Every structure is written in C-alpha cells, then in structure tokens.
Amino acid sequence: MIAAQLLAYYFTELKDDQLKKIDKYLYSMRFSDETLRDVMNRFRREMENGLGRDTSTTATVKMLPTFVRSIPDGSENGDFLALDLGGTNFRVLLVKIRSGKRRSVEMHNKIYAIPIEVMQGTGEELFDHIVHCISDFLDYMGMKSARLPLGFTFSFPCHQTSLDAGILVTWTKGFKATDCEGEDVVELLRDAIKRKEEFELDVVAIVNDTVGTMMTCAYEEPTCEVGLIAGTGSNACYMEEMKNIETVDGNEGRMCVNMEWGAFGDNGCLDDIRTQYDQAVDENSLNEGKQRYEKMCSGMYLGEIVRQILIDLTKRGFLFRGQISETLKTTGIFETKFLSQIESDRLALLQVRAILQQLGLDSTCDDSIIVKEVCGTVSRRAAQICGAGMAAVVDKIRENRGLDHLDITVGVDGTLYKLHPHFSRIFQQSVKELAPKCDVTFLLSEDGSGKGAALITAVGCRQRELEAQQH
Ligand code: ADP
Ligand code: MG
C-alpha cells in the first residue's frame, strides 16, 4: 500500500517536473478570459467590415451573401441531385424529399476519389472529373434522362450574385486547380456537363457547407439560424438582417451570410496571439498567409501545430532524447485523429506510447506525458478561439433583434467537433462565458452538405415558380 502511494507520488512529481520545463513554450498558447474577450471583440469588428459597403472589398472576413432568404418550412418536395465538393470526400447524392404529414428525406450517395493531380491540375480536368462521377452515379441510380434540379455544395469562398452564381474568390484547404479563381463555378460545371453531352441537369443553387448544415438542422428545429463547420476547415454562417448587408440591395427581411471566418486574422489582427508554431504551419501550407484563424482551429492543421511544437521541444532536448527522427520531419504525419486518441481520458500513458510507437516515434514515459500535454494545449486553444468567434456571432444576432436575451440553435457538422473528446465541451463553455446573454443550443447535423443542398435547391425551385407566376 505504502509502496503504491509512494509510486503515485513519484509519478505526480515527475509529471509536474516535466511539465514545468516545457511550460514556457506552451505558455503563449494558453489564453486568459481577457484575451478571449479581446479576440471576440476583434471578430465583431471584422464582421462589420465585411458587411459594410465601403469596407467589404478589403475586409478579411468576407461575410458573403448566399441568397438563401429563409429556412425550410416543411413544404419542400421532389427529387434532387446534390454534389459535395470541398471536404475530405467528393460525393454525389440523390435526395428524395417528401412533404405533408409523412415528411421524409431519403438519400442515396456514392463517394468518389479526387486524385491529388486532379485537385491540383487544371480547372477543366477537375470539372470533367466531377461530371464523369455524376454520369457514373446517374447510371448507377438509373436516372440519366430525368433532368434533375441540382444543388452544388462547394465549400470554398464564393462571391454570389444570385442563388445559382458563385465566383470563386480563392481555393482553400488542399485544392489548387488552375483557371478557377475569379470564375463562376456554376458556369464551369454547366460547361463541363455540355462537353460531356450525355445528360442534362438544372443547376439551381450553389451552397456552402455551413449553409447546408444550418438548413438541415433548421428543417427539424426552426430556431436554428446559425451553421458551424469544425472539420477539415473551420467556418460559420448565420441569418443576418438585410439592412445590415450593405453589399446587397434591399432592406427587408434576412439573408444567410457565409462568413468565411477562417480568413480572420489575414490582415495581421491576430498576429500578437499567433506563435512561432502557427507561423511554421503557415509557411508549410499551400496557401501561405491565408486562413490564419482556420490554421489555429481546424482539423487539417491541429496535428501540424502539435508536430511543430514537438520538433521544437526535441531540438531543445526535452523530448525523444533530443533526436529528431525522419518521421517527425514528415509533414502531415501527426493527424488530428491522433490528438483525439491521445487526449482520450481513458487512455493510460502506456497506450499513448503505443500510439507514438505506431507513428514511428520511440518514446519514454516522460515523453508521453509531454506529448499529451502539448496535444491538450493545442486543442483547447482551438476550441476556445472557435468559441470566441461563435460568441461574437450569437451576440450580434441578439443585438440585431434588440433583445436582452436570445434563445438560438446552432447546427454543427465536422469530425473534429463530433469525435474529439474535449473540443465540443470547451467550445460550448467558451461561448457561454463570452456571450452570457445568449442561450445557445447545439444540434449535430446529419449530412448537412447533402441534405442541406437539396433543401436549398427545393426552396430555390419554389421561389422560382412563385416569381414566374408573378410575372
Ligand atoms: P470535411 O470537413 O472534410 O467535410 P469532416 O467533417 O469529416 O469532413 O472532417 C474531416 C477532418 O476531421 C479530417 O481532415 C481531420 O482533420 C479531422 N478528423 C478526422 N478524424 C478525427 C478524429 N478522430 N478526431 C478529430 N478530428 C478528426
Ligand atoms: Mg463536410
């Protein structure tokens, strides 16, 4: 008994000792409440810049109008095709929406690979590949002659001038196909369909995944007026008052704004809280200097931040006996799913070592204590700054409506949010602390980019018919 206690004592001491040594390197990643409040306030200023007529052209948080004017009302009906491009997988979906008493949504989908040489080849190759996949899917479903309405979930920043026109501002995440930036991607898709000469489609809407997520949740829960993605990338949308969106004519009602919040900080406004590790991740990325906020809080980058810290700590002799292995030098080796595993509460240090072993990192017990601490620090910071962004959004909605208190629902999608053991809890806690006048419910979205795109397409078709009747 006494031996066990001694042993436990020894381990706690050892742990504290180890952590003290590295604390000075992690210190700048631990944010005080004051810093987080400051981040929230900066966020709010950037939102205003994106919405303002004179400031929008140079704004970093673009606040893009989506031409989605209302959430679904349950009367949506029909068969729709949806594309989901911009996440880990490219998918083609058939979505059957039925209205009335037995409201239902039935989905069929197929995942297709986009080879890296297509992702980073020419735009024509990329869109030909997409149309080739659609063709295969229509054959598979036996629906080639139907001329279905289509919703195109395209999760990149686009300047929209209508529901079915979107000019790509810039590629993000892993994409880099040429001749697409500055072009209307709906036209690029229509052109590729024409080139193929095999089938016709009615492209009704271009959809951001955040908007699809919001709409999917709103179909079940009408108080859902915000969408959040915490997956490969990080982004959000919400229903803004038309009168505040100075980049679109009209003052009546609301429109959903795709914030493109991942670019927050690209004007340098976060540089005082970014670390050398964030800078290293940025320098190693495909889009240097861009998406600085996203690079601090989304799945594509958290593992890379951890790897940069581990390299530095190894150089300083605190880890892996001071030896930087080839493994540790390899970009992308430390995937964000390993953070989830390592940070799991149920995991003993021995198991942490086993995970590192799998990665080809030969660790001691001390090493595993440090690695776990590094992962925890990086993911906590991510959840907190993501929470600061969301707090700015919900508090703005509350002010828009002149309320002392706002009840609102946020639809959320993304594997980081869904699978990380602590991210969602810390995120929600930050929102609560930073926006105390808002009662926020978080609803997990099931396949927002597929179902949501179909719902937006259905609402768009209805709108179109209404307008045709009026003329
Ligand atoms: P996308 O955002 O690409 O549409 P997801 O929401 O599924 O798709 O997010 C995928 C991203 O989630 C991956 O790029 C990876 O960074 C991250 N991820 C994958 N597995 C896990 C996990 N177990 N825990 C945390 N993050 C994960
Ligand atoms: Mg997705």
Side-chain angles (χ1 to χ4, degrees), residues 87-88 229 231-233 299-300 336-337 340 414-416 419-420:
T88 315
I229 300 284
T232 304
M300 186 162 178
T336 299
K337 70 175 181 209
S340 287
T415 303
L416 174 63
L419 292 190
H420 189 280

Side-chain angles (χ1 to χ4, degrees), residues 319-465:
L319 269 177
F320 306 129
R321 302 178 185 86
Q323 299 295 311
I324 299 182
S325 59
E326 281 308 311
T327 312
L328 204 53
K329 282 190 212 156
T330 313
T331 304
I333 190 75
F334 212 96
E335 288 174 52
T336 299
K337 70 175 181 209
F338 295 122
L339 266 75
S340 287
Q341 289 177 17
I342 288 169
E343 289 183 63
S344 160
D345 290 327
R346 293 190 303 271
L347 213 64
L349 286 179
L350 211 59
Q351 290 166 295
V352 175
R353 287 173 69 186
I355 294 169
L356 293 173
Q357 193 67 51
Q358 266 174 35
L359 279 169
L361 295 168
D362 202 5
S363 65
T364 63
C365 181
D366 290 5
D367 289 342
S368 63
I369 294 171
I370 292 178
V371 171
K372 189 162 178 163
E373 180 70 11
V374 170
C375 291
T377 306
V378 169
S379 59
R380 164 173 286 271
R381 184 187 70 153
Q384 286 179 328
I385 59 166
C386 195
M390 184 51 68
V393 173
V394 291
D395 217 42
K396 183 170 196 312
I397 297 175
R398 183 186 62 78
E399 280 179 32
N400 281 345
R401 301 180 187 179
L403 298 171
D404 291 329
H405 179 91
L406 175 76
D407 280 307
I408 197 158
T409 301
V410 177
V412 193
D413 205 348
T415 303
L416 174 63
Y417 188 93
K418 286 178 174 170
L419 292 190
H420 189 280
H422 309 299
F423 185 93
S424 60
R425 179 177 39 81
I426 298 169
F427 166 79
Q428 289 181 17
Q429 202 180 336
S430 302
V431 177
K432 200 174 177 143
E433 280 166 18
L434 293 169
K437 293 179 182 170
C438 301
D439 239 318
V440 189
T441 306
F442 296 91
L443 208 59
L444 287 184
S445 147
E446 280 303 319
D447 203 351
S449 12
K451 192 165 155 182
L455 284 166
I456 291 167
T457 305
V459 173
C461 288
R462 190 172 61 209
Q463 191 65 32
R464 209 163 56 179
E465 279 157 26

